[in-house]
Every structure is written in structure tokens, then in C-alpha cells.
Amino acid sequence: MEDIQIFVERMVAACGITGDAVGLITHAALILIVILLAAGAGLLCRRLIVPLLTKVTSKTEARWDDVIFNERVLLSACSIVPAIVVWQLLPWTFYDYPVMRELLKRLTAIYITVMSVRTVIVFIDSFKQLENGKRTARQQYLYSLCGVLKIVMIFVAVIMVVAIIVDKDPSTLFAGLGAASAILMLAFQDTIKGLVAGIRLTNNDMLHIGDWITVPSAGANGRVEEITLTMVKVRNFDNTIVTLSPQALVDGSFQNWLGMEEGEGRRQTRKVYFDFRSLRTENPDNPENPENPGKQPTTTNITRFRHDIEEWLRKNPKVVSNKTILAKQSETLQASGCCVEIVFWLKAKDALTYEHDTSDIMEYIYAKANDYGLRIYQPVVSEK
């Protein structure tokens, strides 16, 4: 840079410029050269280095390098290069203006600090792309750690910027923060609690991205879309968003449907109430033969109904045949009729198909009862 400075001064002198104008024109030319060098360095990084690194990472079989060294991270890093060039060349550019040189040097240092932290945050955010819809416990630990790291980086950047502005050693400012630790813990108490709660959630394998959870107290009934240090975002079936704190999930209770979704099907238990007056005994050999009054009946119409419904359910393609299929007598309340409880497992797991299949099966059972002489119980309402 000294050679460039001497060359510029000679060129100005060769142009016949004299007096105070020599210094101004020389500095203007040096500023222009610095701007061109900084812009050239930034353009070189964007047009050559970024495409080259992107091409190299795309040819590897590993996915992590495509995510970590993605274009957004590289472009963010490229924005620092011109500032580094300016910061290095400032002493030779404003050699006759120490005040201006010091001011620009501090501003450039602040810009480099801020953009460096921004690049680190973008780099940390890139880890989200490694998720495959279901966040494992290890991924959640890493995600929580990344959230804390982002906060720490922003905090360090603020201290560094303040140190640059007041021209103090950053270590002196960090040492002075020991007395303010109580205030800092109070300010970041939600973050600290969220970190601990997040670790408890993942350590006990209680929650993952994509899980279907139900939290009645918060009106949440849907899929977990995001888990951070301070919130768990749930999208309900009506597309409303419910935001919960990890601490609330740990301290309270919630229902996770993961076990059902990973199993073979969803369990269904339904009750059908029959009119007591429609129950009758019958002889399966000749149930309608009045000429055989001496033969004692061996079964009832409701018993035959239960057995036939169980057999029909086993053959139903919507039902898991190797799971429990049962039609049994349940506790009977005289005011509600004779109760038959039907237990089966549906193959459908999503809410819409599940509800349709359940309705189809129950509607068939209601209609089929008439073939056995059974009447669905209906309370009689007296007209006044």
C-alpha cells in the first residue's frame, strides 16, 4: 500500500497539481482505490469462491456439508471480506487525518463484529435443515445448545461493540459483569428455565417435532411445528397456532399421540344401548319352530348379535384383525337400556379417515341390530 501511495503522489505531481490540492486529490484517489479493492474482493468471493465451494459440497455424499456451508452462510461471510480490506488499508489511506482514520477504523471494526456474529447465527440456524421432520433427542439437545449459543454470541457482540466505542479492553468489561450476574440471570430466567425444561422433555423422550399432542388447558390439539428455548409452537387442526412454554409442558401434563401413530392402529371403544324388551332367548337349531316346545333354548338374540359382530369386524378391511376385537356386555344402567360395549382397532390413524371409518362401522352395527330383533334404546318422552 505504501508503494501505491507513493505512485499516486507522483501521478498527482505529474499532473501539475500543487499546493493543498495535492493532499486532497491524493487522499481521494487512495479512497477510490480502497473502495475498488474492497468491492473487487467482495465480488471475487461471491462470483468465484461461493460457487466453487457450493459445487464441491454438492459432490460429496454427506448432507451436513451442504447444509452447514450453504449459500446463505457463504454469502453472509462474503459481506465481511470488503470490510476487512478497508480496515487493513485505512492506516495508509488517511495518513494525514488521524482523527478521521481512528473514527473510520472503529466504525469498520464495529461492522466486522456485527457481520461476524450475523454469519455465526446464520451458520447456527443452518442446523435446522438437518432435521427430517422428527427431531430426535440428540437433535433437540443440539438445537437447545444452539439457541443458548446464539444468545451468548449476541451478548458478546454487544460487549465488543461497546468496548470498541469507548476504546477499552473487552476483558475489562467482561470482568465488570460479575457484579451484574444477578441482573443477567433475572433477565434471562425464561431462557434458562426453557433450556432446562427442553432438556427434560428430550431426555425423557416426551416431545419431538411433528408429534401430535393435546393440551386441554391451553386449547392445543395438533402437530408440534417448532421447539425453542422459550416456546413450543403447535398448529391445531383448524390451523390456529397455540404457543406454549416448555416449562408449562414439564410442570403440567399433555397427551402425546406418538405411540398410537407408531402402532398398528387406533383403539376404538363404543357402546350401544338396546331396549330390554327386545331381548329374547332362541334355539339355534330351530329358533322359530312352535312344534318343538320341549327343546330348551340355548342362546339369546343379543348373544348371537355380539358373536356375529365380532366375526364381521375381524373380516372388515378397515379393522386390525390381529388386535383385540370384542363385543361384550358392559355395566347396564336400567335407565339407559342394555349396554353392549364394542372394542376394536382401526387401521386409519389420521383424524379424517379415522372418524369416517368409525362412523361407517357403527352405522352398520346400528342397522344390523334389527336383523336380530334388537331395538336400539330410545327414551320415551311424554307429551304434555
Side-chain angles (χ1 to χ4, degrees), residues 37-49 78 81-82:
L37 288 174
L43 187 63
L44 179 66
C45 289
R46 291 175 181 270
R47 297 295 178 85
L48 181 62
I49 297 178
C78 288
V81 175

Side-chain angles (χ1 to χ4, degrees), residues 71-83:
E71 186 176 3
R72 189 161 170 254
V73 174
L74 296 176
L75 290 177
S76 181
C78 288
S79 63
I80 307 173
V81 175

Side-chain angles (χ1 to χ4, degrees), residues 321-362:
S321 59
N322 60 344
K323 286 282 193 178
T324 302
I325 296 176
L326 177 64
K328 65 171 184 174
Q329 270 298 323
S330 187
E331 182 180 359
T332 299
L333 301 176
Q334 191 172 3
S336 301
C338 181
C339 179
V340 173
E341 184 174 315
I342 303 171
V343 181
F344 55 94
W345 293 74
L346 284 175
K347 294 179 180 179
K349 298 177 183 178
D350 62 284
L352 187 62
T353 308
Y354 170 78
E355 294 296 342
H356 278 304
D357 290 352
T358 302
S359 299
D360 292 344
I361 290 173
M362 295 309 300

